[in-house]
Amino acid sequence: MRTMIEPFRIRSVEPIRLTSAGEREEILQRAGFNPFLIDAEDVLIDLLTDSGTGAMSSEQWAGIMRADESYAGAASFRRFERTLQELTGFRHVLPTHQGRASERILFELIGGPGKVVPNNAHFDTTRANIEHSGAEAVDLPVAEARCPSVLHPFKGNMDIEALRHLIRTIGPARIPAVMVTVTNNSAGGQPVSLENLRAVRAVCDEYGLPLMLDACRFAENAWFIRTREPGQRDRPIRAIVREMFDLADGATISAKKDGLVNIGGVLLLRDDALFGRAGNLLILTEGYLTYGGVSGRDLEAMAQGFREVVEEDYLAYRIRSVEYLGEQLMRSGIGIVQPPGGHAIYLDAARFCPHIPASRFPGQAVVCGLYRTAGIRAVEIGSLMFGGEGRPDPPLELVRLAIPRRVYTQSHMDYVAEACAELHRRASGLRGLRIVEAPSVLRHFTARFAEIVPADTDRSDRTVADVLARPPQAVSTAG
Ligand SMILES: *Cc1c(COP(=O)(O)O)cnc(C)c1O
C-alpha cells in the first residue's frame, strides 16, 4: 500500500517556533501548569482542539473576496442555503455564529423545566444549553463506549434499550426530542452506525418523538459508515450523508468542525412552525434570517467548506491521518481509546502513569509532560474537566490530541508520536498535580496547579517548590 498523501499543496505558510527546554519550563510554570493559559505562539504543535482551527482552501478564500455583504437576501446567503439544502435535504436553513448558538435557540424553544433530552452523549455546550433551559440532559451510550481497549466499529452508538426504558419510565410527554451526536465527541470521536440511527428513528416514530442530530462531524461519521458498516462500501458519501439527515427532524451544526471554517454554525429544521419561531429568536440575538450573526464572507466560506468536506479524497486523508497517529502510538505501547476516532486520538492517562491517582490528575501530568518534552499542547479529559465538588469521578482519565483539519503534515504527526513515545518511556518521572486556585464552574479552563514531588521520594502532598524551600530534615520531621 502506498503512503496516503495530503491531497493538497501548501501555498501559504505560517511559521511555528520551537522554544528551548528552559523557555518551556518557565512558560509552563508561569501558566500554572495549565495549557489553556499558554500563549499560542509559545506552542509548537497545537492539538488543543479541532474546532475552528482548520485551514481554508483557495476556493474558500476566493469566496471570501467575492462575498455579498447585503443585509437581507445576500447572494452569499443563497449559496450557503442551497449548499445545505442539497447536502442535507432540509428546506429550512438558519445560519448562526457557532454550534452553541443553534443549541441555545433550539432548547429555548423545546426545552424547559421538567423536560428530559436523551442523547448518545451530550457535548458540554449542548448539555449546558439544555440545563440552562431548565431541562435535564441524559447520556445513553452503548456499554462499549466506556471501555478504551474494546474494539467496536460504532462505539458512538446510542443504547436503544436504555432509550426505550427511559421513555417508558418518564413518559414520552416529557421528552421534547431525542438527540444523537455524530460522531460522538464525548466518547472519543466514535461514529454512530446507520443501523443505530434507523433504530433510534424507529423508537422515535413509535412514541411520536422528533429526532435531532448534533451533526458537527457528519462527514467523518459518514466515512466511517462507508468503511465499516456492512453494505455501505459502494455508496457515495453524499448518499450516506443524505440518509443520515433524512432520518432526522432537525440538526444543530458547528461549522468549525466539518464546515471547514474558523467560525460559523447552522440550525436545520423540518417543521414550518418551529422554523418560524427559531427565526424570530435568531433575529432577537444573532441577526437577520439571511446572515444570523456572521458576515457574507463567512457564509461563502461555509458554503464552500460544506462542499469540500464530503470530497472522498479529503475524507480518506483525514481519517487516515488520525488513524496513522494512533497506530504509531500503539506501536510504542501507549494505551489509546480504540479504535482511533475521527478527529482525535485519546491517550489512556490512567495507564500512561499508573503511579498518579485520579485525585492528582494523571491526564494533566501527561499534558504538562508533552509540553515540556516537545512544545505540544493537548487537553485533559478526565477528573479535572469533569470532576470537582459534588460530582462523580469520571470513568476514564484521558488526554485528547485533537487534529486540526488540513493544518499539519505527516512529519508533524511523526514528531508527535516520537514525543509521546519518549514521554512514555520516562512516565514514572511524571508528577501529579494539585489545584492551587480554580473557579467553581468549568474549572479546567482557568485553574492553576502546583506539581507534587514524586511518591518515591516523599509521600506527602508537598509541592516541588515546598521541598526546595525547606531543608530535608525539617521535611521528614513534619511527617
Ligand atoms: C463543538 C461542538 C459543539 C458546539 O459548537 P461550537 O461551535 O463550539 O459552539 C456541539 N456539539 C459537538 C459534538 C461539538 O463538537
Side-chain angles (χ1 to χ4, degrees):
M1 205 173 85
R2 291 205 179 136
T3 300
M4 180 167 298
I5 61 169
E6 288 82 8
F8 47 79
R9 299 191 286 195
I10 299 166
R11 202 138 54 81
S12 173
V13 298
E14 180 187 1
I16 50 178
R17 185 173 77 100
L18 180 58
T19 45
S20 69
E23 282 175 313
R24 285 197 298 279
E25 189 59 42
E26 199 192 310
I27 291 162
L28 195 60
Q29 304 259 357
R30 219 183 317 124
F33 301 95
N34 185 344
F36 279 102
L37 304 178
I38 296 175
D39 281 344
E41 66 175 7
D42 293 330
V43 174
L44 183 67
I45 304 221
D46 203 345
L47 307 183
L48 191 67
T49 176
D50 67 318
S51 178
T53 53
M56 290 204 290
S57 67
S58 46
E59 282 302 313
Q60 285 177 292
W61 284 107
I64 280 174
M65 293 308 293
R66 198 170 50 227
D68 174 2
E69 300 294 350
S70 303
Y71 193 96
S76 296
F77 172 73
R78 293 296 169 213
R79 267 193 286 276
F80 164 83
E81 184 185 42
R82 210 178 319 117
T83 299
L84 279 141
Q85 286 170 338
E86 284 167 11
L87 191 64
T88 67
F90 276 87
R91 195 156 54 86
H92 298 313
V93 181
L94 292 174
T96 60
H97 81 278
Q98 60 186 86
R100 68 196 69 184
S102 305
E103 293 165 357
R104 206 264 307 148
I105 291 170
L106 179 65
F107 292 110
E108 188 166 331
L109 293 172
I110 69 170
K115 301 276 174 63
V116 176
V117 180
N119 197 326
N120 48 347
H122 290 89
F123 181 68
D124 56 10
T125 61
T126 322
R127 170 179 294 279
N129 274 293
I130 289 169
E131 290 173 354
H132 183 70
S133 81
E136 193 186 330
V138 177
D139 291 346
L140 303 174
V142 289
E144 289 87 350
R146 295 196 178 89
C147 191
S149 61
V150 167
L151 278 168
H152 182 286
F154 293 103
K155 264 181 158 173
N157 282 353
M158 178 177 263
D159 183 336
I160 301 294
E161 275 322 300
L163 176 63
R164 273 184 198 287
H165 180 75
L166 176 79
I167 299 172
R168 283 205 208 102
T169 309
I170 64 168
R174 287 182 60 194
I175 302 178
V178 175
M179 202 156 190
V180 177
T181 306
V182 293
T183 58
N184 186 338
N185 189 355
S186 312
Q190 299 290 325
V192 177
S193 68
L194 264 185
E195 184 190 23
N196 190 253
L197 273 178
R198 291 188 196 121
V200 174
R201 177 76 254 176
V203 174
C204 287
D205 287 344
E206 202 178 309
Y207 293 97
L209 301 177
L211 170 59
M212 299 289 169
L213 291 183
D214 178 342
C216 295
R217 298 181 181 81
F218 69 95
E220 291 172 6
N221 199 87
W223 183 262
F224 282 120
I225 286 174
R226 194 170 90 165
T227 52
R228 293 183 185 172
E229 193 158 345
Q232 300 297 321
R233 185 156 283 281
D234 298 324
R235 290 181 77 190
I237 284 296
R238 274 181 176 270
I240 297 171
V241 166
R242 183 59 193 267
E243 184 174 347
M244 286 164 54
F245 281 105
D246 279 349
L247 289 165
D249 300 290
T252 55
I253 306 180
S254 167
K256 300 171 71 171
K257 285 75 175 238
D258 277 353
L260 300 178
V261 293
N262 306 116
I263 196 73
V266 188
L267 177 58
L268 302 172
L269 292 168
R270 230 176 268 291
D271 184 83
D272 295 336
L274 191 61
F275 168 70
R277 292 164 65 212
N280 290 337
L281 279 184
L282 186 84
I283 294 171
L284 190 67
T285 57
E286 287 278 304
Y288 183 62
L289 300 173
T290 63
Y291 73 86
V294 292
S295 62
R297 39 185 184 271
D298 295 316
L299 294 169
E300 283 287 347
M302 274 196 273
Q304 182 62 22
F306 280 118
R307 277 180 228 133
E308 290 174 9
V309 81
V310 288
E311 284 172 10
E312 308 201 349
D313 284 353
Y314 163 76
L315 280 171
Y317 140 79
R318 167 69 177 162
I319 301 300
R320 176 63 194 142
S321 60
V322 175
E323 181 187 58
Y324 174 82
L325 175 60
E327 284 171 4
Q328 305 292 320
L329 297 177
M330 281 189 280
R331 213 166 281 155
S332 306
I334 297 172
I336 64 168
V337 173
Q338 294 216 60
H343 68 289
I345 293 294
Y346 292 70
L347 309 181
D348 184 346
R351 231 184 95 180
F352 201 101
C353 34
H355 61 291
I356 302 177
S359 60
R360 296 297 173 222
F361 309 119
Q364 193 72 359
V366 173
V367 165
C368 290
L370 281 174
Y371 184 72
R372 262 197 183 108
T373 309
I376 295 165
R377 177 154 66 172
V379 67
E380 192 262 13
I381 309 237
S383 288
L384 172 62
M385 186 177 276
F386 298 119
E389 239 163 272
R391 302 169 91 194
D393 279 343
L396 301 174
E397 298 293 336
L398 303 175
V399 169
R400 185 181 74 182
L401 306 173
I403 315 300
R405 292 169 181 78
R406 307 191 291 201
V407 169
Y408 294 116
T409 63
Q410 184 171 333
S411 63
H412 291 116
M413 292 301 109
D414 286 334
Y415 174 88
V416 172
E418 286 160 16
C420 290
E422 189 187 322
L423 190 67
H424 189 241
R425 283 192 295 274
R426 298 190 280 103
S428 61
L430 287 173
R431 296 165 183 157
L433 299 116
R434 69 176 169 81
I435 292 179
V436 178
E437 58 176 86
S440 55
V441 289
L442 296 173
R443 61 181 184 171
H444 58 284
F445 287 119
T446 54
R448 299 182 74 85
F449 303 84
E451 283 189 312
I452 292 165
V453 286
D456 58 348
T457 58
D458 191 290
R459 301 202 167 274
S460 72
D461 277 354
R462 286 169 311 104
T463 63
V464 176
D466 292 339
V467 173
L468 293 178
R470 286 189 285 167
Q473 297 88 330
V475 170
S476 55
T477 51

